[in-house]
Amino acid sequence: MNMRQDKIDVVYTWVDDTFPGYAEVLARHAGKPADTNPNRTRDNLDLLRYSLRSLRHLPELGHVHLLTCRPQVPRWLDPGAPGLTVHHHDAVMDAGLLPTFNSFCIVSHLHLLPGLSDRFLYLEDDMLLLRPGLMAAMADPDGRPLSHFTTRATVPADRLKPGDSPWNHALANADRALDAAYGPRPRHHAIHGPRIIDKARFAQVLDRFAPEVAATRAARFRANDNVPPEYLYPHAAVDEGWHRAATRAESDTVEGYVSIDNVLPLTRLMMWRMERRRPLTATFNDNFGARPNPRVVAFMRRWLQARFPDPSPYERADSTRS
């Protein structure tokens, strides 16, 4: 896969747990407290809105695809805007899998979106572009894509307990499957940042690990037998020789991870550190817990509005909330 292409589509996944009826559906299917963790479903900062505004830093932008559960559409979004398509889960997922609240399951269907370019940029809704240059940082000069990883090693399955988070179990499952397919080697977490995905090769990876993917898709919530496609694919791409593993410096250039906590001085410090580094992207991970601190929410909203004040072409003309 050569990265030298004029335009690239962007795919987002998004959900808002305040959308009418969503909380009731979630409660009917939830089986444990982690299933209703608001950190994964809350949209109190309108991060998707600002992420779309940040696409001004992506001159290679083709079409924007938003994948969400039916009938959700962000209240401020114009779903008929040129260059934008809103897809609902039932457009690409079997009815028997729905409703799903499992991000791993959802991501495993991204390549099936109608009209999607052969390669695309996957952004979670809390990821924003801070300055131009992302596509150049996602590939070698000859066009070979890069997989970006952190310094954090993946914990193997034999060191985990059943009560550890499904996220950690999923990483360990993926690692075990990768070891069986390509041979054992140390692997690290993928960065909290954009992913370059080739549709055909993504499908090939999912087929190679079909049993693990089937178990993942069958789980309405993240479960201990799942695998995260967003971790599986960049590692498999390196093992296959499609991608090169980025250096630490290259990954640091791309990733700007910030945990948004309820302690305002801590969040201010993390934001200051991120801005001082000047990464190409920022990921604002919701770590508010059950009750977001209004002072932290206000601080982040001021920062977002100051950094990205201009509406994107995808916003409704009558949308006034900032």
Side-chain angles (χ1 to χ4, degrees):
M1 175 178 61
N2 192 294
M3 290 281 290
R4 295 190 181 282
Q5 180 176 310
D6 290 336
K7 298 295 181 181
I8 186 167
D9 287 0
V10 172
V11 174
Y12 286 98
T13 51
W14 173 86
V15 69
D16 179 6
D17 60 13
T18 66
F19 197 89
Y22 182 84
E24 291 76 12
V25 175
L26 177 65
R28 282 203 304 270
H29 292 278
K32 55 186 183 299
D35 292 344
T36 56
N37 181 356
N39 290 356
R40 296 205 310 271
T41 58
R42 182 168 35 216
D43 188 36
N44 64 327
L45 296 178
D46 278 343
L47 288 176
L48 175 63
R49 185 176 198 171
Y50 291 104
S51 184
L52 288 168
R53 292 182 180 187
S54 80
L55 293 181
R56 71 188 191 204
H57 292 313
L58 188 67
E60 301 89 349
L61 176 64
H63 199 84
V64 175
H65 301 260
L66 173 63
L67 179 60
T68 185
C69 59
R70 188 173 297 278
Q72 292 200 13
V73 175
R75 67 192 175 284
W76 45 264
L77 189 76
D78 176 7
L84 170 73
T85 302
V86 176
H87 307 268
H88 291 106
H89 294 165
D90 53 14
V92 291
M93 300 175 66
D94 292 340
L97 303 179
L98 299 174
T100 186
F101 311 93
N102 183 352
S103 65
F104 303 152
C105 171
I106 295 166
V107 171
S108 76
H109 291 83
L110 296 184
H111 62 303
L112 302 176
L113 293 174
L116 183 63
S117 57
D118 289 341
R119 65 177 175 85
F120 60 94
L121 185 70
Y122 172 47
L123 296 175
E124 296 180 27
D125 60 1
D126 57 2
M127 297 176 182
L128 292 81
L129 281 61
L130 300 181
R131 54 190 178 91
L134 177 62
M135 294 308 296
M138 300 296 286
D140 281 330
D142 65 359
R144 186 185 187 190
L146 302 180
S147 287
H148 295 272
F149 304 107
T150 73
T151 58
R152 186 177 178 185
T154 303
V155 179
D158 59 8
R159 289 174 50 193
L160 292 174
K161 301 174 182 177
D164 287 334
S165 74
W167 170 254
N168 286 326
H169 279 281
L171 293 179
N173 294 336
D175 229 19
R176 184 164 45 199
L178 289 162
D179 283 351
Y182 302 109
R185 67 172 176 84
R187 292 184 177 86
H188 293 80
H189 288 216
I191 65 167
H192 290 86
R195 305 276 193 280
I196 289 290
I197 298 176
D198 177 272
K199 285 199 308 186
R201 287 176 170 169
F202 191 69
Q204 185 176 334
V205 169
L206 297 180
D207 286 344
R208 179 154 195 173
F209 301 100
E212 292 86 356
V213 172
T216 300
R217 289 176 169 177
R220 293 201 192 277
F221 298 87
R222 291 179 179 179
N224 286 5
D225 64 348
N226 288 187
V227 292
E230 60 269 42
Y231 174 93
L232 193 67
Y233 178 75
H235 279 290
V238 171
D239 287 318
E240 291 282 356
W242 306 331
H243 289 200
R244 174 175 66 80
T247 65
R248 182 65 252 159
E250 288 169 333
S251 293
D252 284 344
T253 296
V254 173
E255 183 188 40
Y257 175 78
V258 177
S259 177
I260 307 301
D261 292 272
N262 271 334
V263 180
L264 182 58
L266 178 59
T267 297
R268 283 183 180 272
L269 175 62
M270 293 193 69
M271 289 291 290
W272 177 81
R273 286 178 173 172
M274 182 274 293
E275 291 195 88
R276 187 182 182 196
R277 287 182 45 239
R278 299 194 71 244
L280 289 165
T281 72
T283 299
F284 297 130
N285 185 64
D286 183 333
N287 200 32
F288 284 118
R291 297 182 179 180
N293 182 341
R295 297 176 63 206
V296 177
V297 172
F299 167 75
M300 287 303 303
R301 281 194 165 274
R302 287 193 300 269
W303 187 93
L304 290 162
Q305 184 62 25
R307 190 67 179 262
F308 303 103
D310 299 323
S312 75
Y314 316 110
E315 294 181 39
R316 293 163 51 98
D318 60 352
S319 176
T320 59
R321 181 178 175 184
S322 62

PDB file of all heavy atoms in Angstrom, residues 145-176:
ATOM      1  N   PRO A 145       3.350   3.044   4.708  1.00  0.00           N
ATOM      2  CA  PRO A 145       2.702   3.531   5.934  1.00  0.00           C
ATOM      3  C   PRO A 145       3.471   3.129   7.189  1.00  0.00           C
ATOM      4  O   PRO A 145       4.227   2.143   7.196  1.00  0.00           O
ATOM      5  CB  PRO A 145       1.333   2.860   5.907  1.00  0.00           C
ATOM      6  CG  PRO A 145       1.127   2.426   4.503  1.00  0.00           C
ATOM      7  CD  PRO A 145       2.485   2.107   3.970  1.00  0.00           C
ATOM      8  N   LEU A 146       3.227   3.879   8.250  1.00  0.00           N
ATOM      9  CA  LEU A 146       3.825   3.606   9.548  1.00  0.00           C
ATOM     10  C   LEU A 146       2.749   3.150  10.525  1.00  0.00           C
ATOM     11  O   LEU A 146       1.619   3.633  10.491  1.00  0.00           O
ATOM     12  CB  LEU A 146       4.505   4.861  10.115  1.00  0.00           C
ATOM     13  CG  LEU A 146       5.611   5.502   9.276  1.00  0.00           C
ATOM     14  CD1 LEU A 146       6.169   6.728  10.005  1.00  0.00           C
ATOM     15  CD2 LEU A 146       6.730   4.519   8.991  1.00  0.00           C
ATOM     16  N   SER A 147       3.112   2.216  11.396  1.00  0.00           N
ATOM     17  CA  SER A 147       2.295   1.879  12.563  1.00  0.00           C
ATOM     18  C   SER A 147       2.959   2.511  13.776  1.00  0.00           C
ATOM     19  O   SER A 147       4.151   2.313  14.005  1.00  0.00           O
ATOM     20  CB  SER A 147       2.202   0.356  12.753  1.00  0.00           C
ATOM     21  OG  SER A 147       1.363  -0.238  11.792  1.00  0.00           O
ATOM     22  N   HIS A 148       2.188   3.266  14.529  1.00  0.00           N
ATOM     23  CA  HIS A 148       2.738   4.016  15.655  1.00  0.00           C
ATOM     24  C   HIS A 148       2.387   3.329  16.968  1.00  0.00           C
ATOM     25  O   HIS A 148       1.215   3.008  17.224  1.00  0.00           O
ATOM     26  CB  HIS A 148       2.184   5.441  15.664  1.00  0.00           C
ATOM     27  CG  HIS A 148       2.610   6.251  14.471  1.00  0.00           C
ATOM     28  ND1 HIS A 148       3.781   6.972  14.447  1.00  0.00           N
ATOM     29  CD2 HIS A 148       2.025   6.440  13.265  1.00  0.00           C
ATOM     30  CE1 HIS A 148       3.901   7.577  13.280  1.00  0.00           C
ATOM     31  NE2 HIS A 148       2.842   7.277  12.540  1.00  0.00           N
ATOM     32  N   PHE A 149       3.405   3.136  17.810  1.00  0.00           N
ATOM     33  CA  PHE A 149       3.226   2.465  19.089  1.00  0.00           C
ATOM     34  C   PHE A 149       3.812   3.294  20.221  1.00  0.00           C
ATOM     35  O   PHE A 149       4.649   4.171  20.013  1.00  0.00           O
ATOM     36  CB  PHE A 149       3.886   1.081  19.057  1.00  0.00           C
ATOM     37  CG  PHE A 149       3.401   0.200  17.947  1.00  0.00           C
ATOM     38  CD1 PHE A 149       4.191  -0.062  16.838  1.00  0.00           C
ATOM     39  CD2 PHE A 149       2.133  -0.345  17.997  1.00  0.00           C
ATOM     40  CE1 PHE A 149       3.740  -0.863  15.804  1.00  0.00           C
ATOM     41  CE2 PHE A 149       1.663  -1.155  16.965  1.00  0.00           C
ATOM     42  CZ  PHE A 149       2.468  -1.416  15.869  1.00  0.00           C
ATOM     43  N   THR A 150       3.370   2.986  21.444  1.00  0.00           N
ATOM     44  CA  THR A 150       3.901   3.638  22.637  1.00  0.00           C
ATOM     45  C   THR A 150       5.037   2.776  23.206  1.00  0.00           C
ATOM     46  O   THR A 150       5.374   1.729  22.670  1.00  0.00           O
ATOM     47  CB  THR A 150       2.808   3.803  23.702  1.00  0.00           C
ATOM     48  OG1 THR A 150       2.513   2.522  24.282  1.00  0.00           O
ATOM     49  CG2 THR A 150       1.533   4.387  23.105  1.00  0.00           C
ATOM     50  N   THR A 151       5.583   3.227  24.319  1.00  0.00           N
ATOM     51  CA  THR A 151       6.617   2.442  24.998  1.00  0.00           C
ATOM     52  C   THR A 151       6.010   1.437  25.979  1.00  0.00           C
ATOM     53  O   THR A 151       6.742   0.660  26.593  1.00  0.00           O
ATOM     54  CB  THR A 151       7.571   3.359  25.765  1.00  0.00           C
ATOM     55  OG1 THR A 151       6.818   4.135  26.709  1.00  0.00           O
ATOM     56  CG2 THR A 151       8.304   4.306  24.820  1.00  0.00           C
ATOM     57  N   ARG A 152       4.697   1.443  26.110  1.00  0.00           N
ATOM     58  CA  ARG A 152       4.033   0.575  27.083  1.00  0.00           C
ATOM     59  C   ARG A 152       3.864  -0.828  26.516  1.00  0.00           C
ATOM     60  O   ARG A 152       3.193  -1.026  25.501  1.00  0.00           O
ATOM     61  CB  ARG A 152       2.665   1.147  27.459  1.00  0.00           C
ATOM     62  CG  ARG A 152       1.961   0.378  28.563  1.00  0.00           C
ATOM     63  CD  ARG A 152       0.648   1.047  28.915  1.00  0.00           C
ATOM     64  NE  ARG A 152      -0.071   0.307  29.935  1.00  0.00           N
ATOM     65  CZ  ARG A 152      -1.287   0.628  30.359  1.00  0.00           C
ATOM     66  NH1 ARG A 152      -1.912   1.682  29.852  1.00  0.00           N
ATOM     67  NH2 ARG A 152      -1.885  -0.088  31.292  1.00  0.00           N
ATOM     68  N   ALA A 153       4.475  -1.806  27.158  1.00  0.00           N
ATOM     69  CA  ALA A 153       4.406  -3.185  26.693  1.00  0.00           C
ATOM     70  C   ALA A 153       3.034  -3.785  26.991  1.00  0.00           C
ATOM     71  O   ALA A 153       2.418  -3.503  28.032  1.00  0.00           O
ATOM     72  CB  ALA A 153       5.494  -4.021  27.343  1.00  0.00           C
ATOM     73  N   THR A 154       2.559  -4.623  26.101  1.00  0.00           N
ATOM     74  CA  THR A 154       1.304  -5.336  26.310  1.00  0.00           C
ATOM     75  C   THR A 154       1.492  -6.427  27.357  1.00  0.00           C
ATOM     76  O   THR A 154       2.435  -7.219  27.277  1.00  0.00           O
ATOM     77  CB  THR A 154       0.825  -5.959  24.994  1.00  0.00           C
ATOM     78  OG1 THR A 154       0.704  -4.922  24.011  1.00  0.00           O
ATOM     79  CG2 THR A 154      -0.525  -6.647  25.174  1.00  0.00           C
ATOM     80  N   VAL A 155       0.610  -6.463  28.329  1.00  0.00           N
ATOM     81  CA  VAL A 155       0.692  -7.462  29.399  1.00  0.00           C
ATOM     82  C   VAL A 155       0.174  -8.793  28.868  1.00  0.00           C
ATOM     83  O   VAL A 155      -0.943  -8.860  28.334  1.00  0.00           O
ATOM     84  CB  VAL A 155      -0.132  -7.028  30.621  1.00  0.00           C
ATOM     85  CG1 VAL A 155      -0.073  -8.089  31.718  1.00  0.00           C
ATOM     86  CG2 VAL A 155       0.371  -5.680  31.147  1.00  0.00           C
ATOM     87  N   PRO A 156       0.941  -9.874  28.977  1.00  0.00           N
ATOM     88  CA  PRO A 156       0.490 -11.170  28.465  1.00  0.00           C
ATOM     89  C   PRO A 156      -0.670 -11.731  29.279  1.00  0.00           C
ATOM     90  O   PRO A 156      -0.873 -11.376  30.444  1.00  0.00           O
ATOM     91  CB  PRO A 156       1.733 -12.053  28.577  1.00  0.00           C
ATOM     92  CG  PRO A 156       2.588 -11.406  29.618  1.00  0.00           C
ATOM     93  CD  PRO A 156       2.315  -9.941  29.520  1.00  0.00           C
ATOM     94  N   ALA A 157      -1.404 -12.635  28.647  1.00  0.00           N
ATOM     95  CA  ALA A 157      -2.617 -13.180  29.259  1.00  0.00           C
ATOM     96  C   ALA A 157      -2.339 -13.884  30.579  1.00  0.00           C
ATOM     97  O   ALA A 157      -3.162 -13.830  31.504  1.00  0.00           O
ATOM     98  CB  ALA A 157      -3.301 -14.138  28.281  1.00  0.00           C
ATOM     99  N   ASP A 158      -1.178 -14.555  30.708  1.00  0.00           N
ATOM    100  CA  ASP A 158      -0.918 -15.315  31.929  1.00  0.00           C
ATOM    101  C   ASP A 158      -0.609 -14.423  33.125  1.00  0.00           C
ATOM    102  O   ASP A 158      -0.471 -14.926  34.248  1.00  0.00           O
ATOM    103  CB  ASP A 158       0.204 -16.327  31.707  1.00  0.00           C
ATOM    104  CG  ASP A 158       1.525 -15.683  31.274  1.00  0.00           C
ATOM    105  OD1 ASP A 158       1.628 -14.441  31.281  1.00  0.00           O
ATOM    106  OD2 ASP A 158       2.454 -16.440  30.921  1.00  0.00           O
ATOM    107  N   ARG A 159      -0.503 -13.136  32.911  1.00  0.00           N
ATOM    108  CA  ARG A 159      -0.280 -12.203  34.025  1.00  0.00           C
ATOM    109  C   ARG A 159      -1.528 -11.417  34.375  1.00  0.00           C
ATOM    110  O   ARG A 159      -1.487 -10.545  35.243  1.00  0.00           O
ATOM    111  CB  ARG A 159       0.864 -11.253  33.672  1.00  0.00           C
ATOM    112  CG  ARG A 159       2.229 -11.935  33.667  1.00  0.00           C
ATOM    113  CD  ARG A 159       3.324 -11.004  33.168  1.00  0.00           C
ATOM    114  NE  ARG A 159       3.304  -9.727  33.832  1.00  0.00           N
ATOM    115  CZ  ARG A 159       3.994  -8.655  33.395  1.00  0.00           C
ATOM    116  NH1 ARG A 159       4.735  -8.739  32.302  1.00  0.00           N
ATOM    117  NH2 ARG A 159       3.931  -7.504  34.043  1.00  0.00           N
ATOM    118  N   LEU A 160      -2.625 -11.728  33.712  1.00  0.00           N
ATOM    119  CA  LEU A 160      -3.871 -11.023  33.972  1.00  0.00           C
ATOM    120  C   LEU A 160      -4.788 -11.858  34.848  1.00  0.00           C
ATOM    121  O   LEU A 160      -4.722 -13.092  34.856  1.00  0.00           O
ATOM    122  CB  LEU A 160      -4.589 -10.706  32.655  1.00  0.00           C
ATOM    123  CG  LEU A 160      -3.923  -9.684  31.735  1.00  0.00           C
ATOM    124  CD1 LEU A 160      -4.694  -9.595  30.417  1.00  0.00           C
ATOM    125  CD2 LEU A 160      -3.838  -8.310  32.388  1.00  0.00           C
ATOM    126  N   LYS A 161      -5.665 -11.175  35.570  1.00  0.00           N
ATOM    127  CA  LYS A 161      -6.682 -11.826  36.376  1.00  0.00           C
ATOM    128  C   LYS A 161      -8.041 -11.668  35.685  1.00  0.00           C
ATOM    129  O   LYS A 161      -8.238 -10.728  34.915  1.00  0.00           O
ATOM    130  CB  LYS A 161      -6.728 -11.204  37.773  1.00  0.00           C
ATOM    131  CG  LYS A 161      -5.409 -11.304  38.533  1.00  0.00           C
ATOM    132  CD  LYS A 161      -5.496 -10.546  39.847  1.00  0.00           C
ATOM    133  CE  LYS A 161      -4.172 -10.595  40.600  1.00  0.00           C
ATOM    134  NZ  LYS A 161      -4.208  -9.804  41.857  1.00  0.00           N
ATOM    135  N   PRO A 162      -8.978 -12.575  35.956  1.00  0.00           N
ATOM    136  CA  PRO A 162     -10.303 -12.461  35.313  1.00  0.00           C
ATOM    137  C   PRO A 162     -10.963 -11.109  35.540  1.00  0.00           C
ATOM    138  O   PRO A 162     -11.690 -10.618  34.679  1.00  0.00           O
ATOM    139  CB  PRO A 162     -11.103 -13.592  35.960  1.00  0.00           C
ATOM    140  CG  PRO A 162     -10.069 -14.593  36.358  1.00  0.00           C
ATOM    141  CD  PRO A 162      -8.861 -13.794  36.773  1.00  0.00           C
ATOM    142  N   GLY A 163     -10.691 -10.484  36.687  1.00  0.00           N
ATOM    143  CA  GLY A 163     -11.306  -9.200  36.993  1.00  0.00           C
ATOM    144  C   GLY A 163     -10.627  -8.000  36.382  1.00  0.00           C
ATOM    145  O   GLY A 163     -11.112  -6.869  36.519  1.00  0.00           O
ATOM    146  N   ASP A 164      -9.501  -8.203  35.708  1.00  0.00           N
ATOM    147  CA  ASP A 164      -8.852  -7.081  35.026  1.00  0.00           C
ATOM    148  C   ASP A 164      -9.737  -6.606  33.878  1.00  0.00           C
ATOM    149  O   ASP A 164     -10.629  -7.314  33.407  1.00  0.00           O
ATOM    150  CB  ASP A 164      -7.478  -7.502  34.505  1.00  0.00           C
ATOM    151  CG  ASP A 164      -6.459  -7.658  35.625  1.00  0.00           C
ATOM    152  OD1 ASP A 164      -6.628  -7.001  36.672  1.00  0.00           O
ATOM    153  OD2 ASP A 164      -5.508  -8.449  35.462  1.00  0.00           O
ATOM    154  N   SER A 165      -9.481  -5.403  33.404  1.00  0.00           N
ATOM    155  CA  SER A 165     -10.369  -4.781  32.434  1.00  0.00           C
ATOM    156  C   SER A 165     -10.428  -5.572  31.132  1.00  0.00           C
ATOM    157  O   SER A 165      -9.425  -6.162  30.691  1.00  0.00           O
ATOM    158  CB  SER A 165      -9.903  -3.357  32.133  1.00  0.00           C
ATOM    159  OG  SER A 165      -8.749  -3.371  31.315  1.00  0.00           O
ATOM    160  N   PRO A 166     -11.605  -5.601  30.486  1.00  0.00           N
ATOM    161  CA  PRO A 166     -11.705  -6.252  29.182  1.00  0.00           C
ATOM    162  C   PRO A 166     -10.729  -5.676  28.158  1.00  0.00           C
ATOM    163  O   PRO A 166     -10.305  -6.386  27.246  1.00  0.00           O
ATOM    164  CB  PRO A 166     -13.162  -5.999  28.778  1.00  0.00           C
ATOM    165  CG  PRO A 166     -13.889  -5.848  30.070  1.00  0.00           C
ATOM    166  CD  PRO A 166     -12.918  -5.143  30.988  1.00  0.00           C
ATOM    167  N   TRP A 167     -10.379  -4.414  28.301  1.00  0.00           N
ATOM    168  CA  TRP A 167      -9.412  -3.802  27.393  1.00  0.00           C
ATOM    169  C   TRP A 167      -8.067  -4.525  27.481  1.00  0.00           C
ATOM    170  O   TRP A 167      -7.489  -4.905  26.459  1.00  0.00           O
ATOM    171  CB  TRP A 167      -9.255  -2.322  27.702  1.00  0.00           C
ATOM    172  CG  TRP A 167      -8.112  -1.668  26.980  1.00  0.00           C
ATOM    173  CD1 TRP A 167      -6.914  -1.276  27.493  1.00  0.00           C
ATOM    174  CD2 TRP A 167      -8.059  -1.318  25.585  1.00  0.00           C
ATOM    175  NE1 TRP A 167      -6.116  -0.727  26.523  1.00  0.00           N
ATOM    176  CE2 TRP A 167      -6.784  -0.734  25.347  1.00  0.00           C
ATOM    177  CE3 TRP A 167      -8.952  -1.456  24.522  1.00  0.00           C
ATOM    178  CZ2 TRP A 167      -6.403  -0.289  24.074  1.00  0.00           C
ATOM    179  CZ3 TRP A 167      -8.565  -1.011  23.260  1.00  0.00           C
ATOM    180  CH2 TRP A 167      -7.308  -0.430  23.048  1.00  0.00           C
ATOM    181  N   ASN A 168      -7.583  -4.741  28.699  1.00  0.00           N
ATOM    182  CA  ASN A 168      -6.296  -5.424  28.864  1.00  0.00           C
ATOM    183  C   ASN A 168      -6.376  -6.875  28.407  1.00  0.00           C
ATOM    184  O   ASN A 168      -5.423  -7.402  27.815  1.00  0.00           O
ATOM    185  CB  ASN A 168      -5.824  -5.330  30.314  1.00  0.00           C
ATOM    186  CG  ASN A 168      -5.325  -3.947  30.670  1.00  0.00           C
ATOM    187  OD1 ASN A 168      -4.751  -3.246  29.841  1.00  0.00           O
ATOM    188  ND2 ASN A 168      -5.548  -3.531  31.908  1.00  0.00           N
ATOM    189  N   HIS A 169      -7.500  -7.534  28.692  1.00  0.00           N
ATOM    190  CA  HIS A 169      -7.667  -8.908  28.207  1.00  0.00           C
ATOM    191  C   HIS A 169      -7.693  -8.948  26.684  1.00  0.00           C
ATOM    192  O   HIS A 169      -7.119  -9.859  26.068  1.00  0.00           O
ATOM    193  CB  HIS A 169      -8.956  -9.515  28.772  1.00  0.00           C
ATOM    194  CG  HIS A 169      -8.815 -10.022  30.174  1.00  0.00           C
ATOM    195  ND1 HIS A 169      -8.230 -11.237  30.464  1.00  0.00           N
ATOM    196  CD2 HIS A 169      -9.173  -9.479  31.370  1.00  0.00           C
ATOM    197  CE1 HIS A 169      -8.242 -11.431  31.785  1.00  0.00           C
ATOM    198  NE2 HIS A 169      -8.807 -10.377  32.351  1.00  0.00           N
ATOM    199  N   ALA A 170      -8.338  -7.972  26.076  1.00  0.00           N
ATOM    200  CA  ALA A 170      -8.421  -7.941  24.616  1.00  0.00           C
ATOM    201  C   ALA A 170      -7.043  -7.750  23.995  1.00  0.00           C
ATOM    202  O   ALA A 170      -6.712  -8.389  22.984  1.00  0.00           O
ATOM    203  CB  ALA A 170      -9.372  -6.834  24.173  1.00  0.00           C
ATOM    204  N   LEU A 171      -6.242  -6.879  24.577  1.00  0.00           N
ATOM    205  CA  LEU A 171      -4.878  -6.700  24.078  1.00  0.00           C
ATOM    206  C   LEU A 171      -4.086  -8.002  24.183  1.00  0.00           C
ATOM    207  O   LEU A 171      -3.371  -8.388  23.247  1.00  0.00           O
ATOM    208  CB  LEU A 171      -4.170  -5.598  24.861  1.00  0.00           C
ATOM    209  CG  LEU A 171      -4.680  -4.172  24.699  1.00  0.00           C
ATOM    210  CD1 LEU A 171      -3.857  -3.222  25.568  1.00  0.00           C
ATOM    211  CD2 LEU A 171      -4.641  -3.716  23.249  1.00  0.00           C
ATOM    212  N   ALA A 172      -4.218  -8.681  25.329  1.00  0.00           N
ATOM    213  CA  ALA A 172      -3.500  -9.937  25.527  1.00  0.00           C
ATOM    214  C   ALA A 172      -3.972 -10.999  24.535  1.00  0.00           C
ATOM    215  O   ALA A 172      -3.164 -11.781  24.008  1.00  0.00           O
ATOM    216  CB  ALA A 172      -3.678 -10.417  26.963  1.00  0.00           C
ATOM    217  N   ASN A 173      -5.276 -11.038  24.274  1.00  0.00           N
ATOM    218  CA  ASN A 173      -5.804 -11.987  23.292  1.00  0.00           C
ATOM    219  C   ASN A 173      -5.236 -11.720  21.908  1.00  0.00           C
ATOM    220  O   ASN A 173      -4.851 -12.647  21.180  1.00  0.00           O
ATOM    221  CB  ASN A 173      -7.330 -11.902  23.233  1.00  0.00           C
ATOM    222  CG  ASN A 173      -7.993 -12.357  24.507  1.00  0.00           C
ATOM    223  OD1 ASN A 173      -7.429 -13.123  25.279  1.00  0.00           O
ATOM    224  ND2 ASN A 173      -9.206 -11.883  24.739  1.00  0.00           N
ATOM    225  N   ALA A 174      -5.186 -10.452  21.546  1.00  0.00           N
ATOM    226  CA  ALA A 174      -4.632 -10.090  20.241  1.00  0.00           C
ATOM    227  C   ALA A 174      -3.165 -10.461  20.162  1.00  0.00           C
ATOM    228  O   ALA A 174      -2.697 -10.977  19.137  1.00  0.00           O
ATOM    229  CB  ALA A 174      -4.838  -8.601  19.987  1.00  0.00           C
ATOM    230  N   ASP A 175      -2.440 -10.211  21.232  1.00  0.00           N
ATOM    231  CA  ASP A 175      -1.017 -10.557  21.266  1.00  0.00           C
ATOM    232  C   ASP A 175      -0.807 -12.057  21.083  1.00  0.00           C
ATOM    233  O   ASP A 175       0.070 -12.493  20.334  1.00  0.00           O
ATOM    234  CB  ASP A 175      -0.432 -10.113  22.619  1.00  0.00           C
ATOM    235  CG  ASP A 175       0.850  -9.328  22.455  1.00  0.00           C
ATOM    236  OD1 ASP A 175       1.097  -8.816  21.348  1.00  0.00           O
ATOM    237  OD2 ASP A 175       1.599  -9.223  23.435  1.00  0.00           O
ATOM    238  N   ARG A 176      -1.621 -12.839  21.772  1.00  0.00           N
ATOM    239  CA  ARG A 176      -1.512 -14.297  21.680  1.00  0.00           C
ATOM    240  C   ARG A 176      -1.812 -14.764  20.261  1.00  0.00           C
ATOM    241  O   ARG A 176      -1.115 -15.641  19.720  1.00  0.00           O
ATOM    242  CB  ARG A 176      -2.466 -14.931  22.679  1.00  0.00           C
ATOM    243  CG  ARG A 176      -2.394 -16.463  22.771  1.00  0.00           C
ATOM    244  CD  ARG A 176      -3.080 -16.943  24.034  1.00  0.00           C
ATOM    245  NE  ARG A 176      -4.366 -16.279  24.236  1.00  0.00           N
ATOM    246  CZ  ARG A 176      -5.005 -16.229  25.405  1.00  0.00           C
ATOM    247  NH1 ARG A 176      -4.477 -16.787  26.475  1.00  0.00           N
ATOM    248  NH2 ARG A 176      -6.174 -15.617  25.502  1.00  0.00           N
TER     249      ARG A 176
END
